Amino acid sequence: QVQLVESGGGLVQAGGSLRLSCAASGRTFNIRAMGWFRQAPGKGREIVASITWSGLTTFYADSVKGRFTISGASSKNTVYLQMNSLKTEDTAAYYCAARISSNGYQYWGQGTQVTVSS
């Protein structure tokens, strides 16, 4: 089992920045990639960014490219999401997830709320 704990959410004005952190514990040696997802009220969960531990390959949703940066280190079992130039449409609950196989993300954190005010 893998446990994920997010932190760093909060309230920020549009144009501001926040940094989310996610710490993994448990059987972390199985983790192949980690990602950040978000879910806004009334909408489905969408992927924001991901990073693989082998090669540190990253992926970003079009809506956050150039504004968000995912980083982390498998040795520290931690992944970060630096969010700059935040927009009101970035308001959502943000979830950290870990993938141990090619069949989707198997482990999820409890989520952290990000609210961007205009």
Side-chain angles (χ1 to χ4, degrees):
Q1 293 292 323
V2 174
Q3 295 79 41
L4 302 171
V5 178
E6 304 103 331
S7 60
L11 174 64
V12 65
Q13 286 190 329
S17 299
L18 280 176
R19 188 193 196 204
L20 305 183
S21 300
C22 175
S25 61
R27 301 176 68 85
T28 58
F29 57 87
N30 285 329
I31 296 176
R32 305 294 179 88
M34 295 186 74
W36 287 97
F37 292 73
R38 67 186 181 186
Q39 185 167 18
K43 295 187 177 181
R45 188 173 295 187
E46 63 174 355
I47 188 166
V48 175
S50 66
I51 185 168
T52 63
W53 283 152
S54 62
L56 297 178
T57 302
T58 57
F59 164 85
Y60 295 95
D62 287 343
S63 58
V64 306
K65 280 181 182 177
R67 301 188 298 121
F68 291 11
T69 302
I70 189 170
S71 63
S74 59
S75 59
K76 296 184 178 181
N77 297 316
T78 303
V79 66
Y80 305 96
L81 185 68
Q82 178 66 43
M83 304 185 294
N84 299 328
S85 302
L86 283 160
K87 304 176 181 180
T88 55
E89 51 262 45
D90 294 319
T91 295
Y94 283 71
Y95 298 89
C96 174
R99 179 163 63 84
I100 63 172
S101 73
S102 60
N103 188 24
Y105 286 79
Q106 289 78 29
Y107 298 101
W108 296 83
Q110 81 287 354
T112 186
Q113 180 67 34
V114 171
T115 302
V116 184
S117 64
S118 58

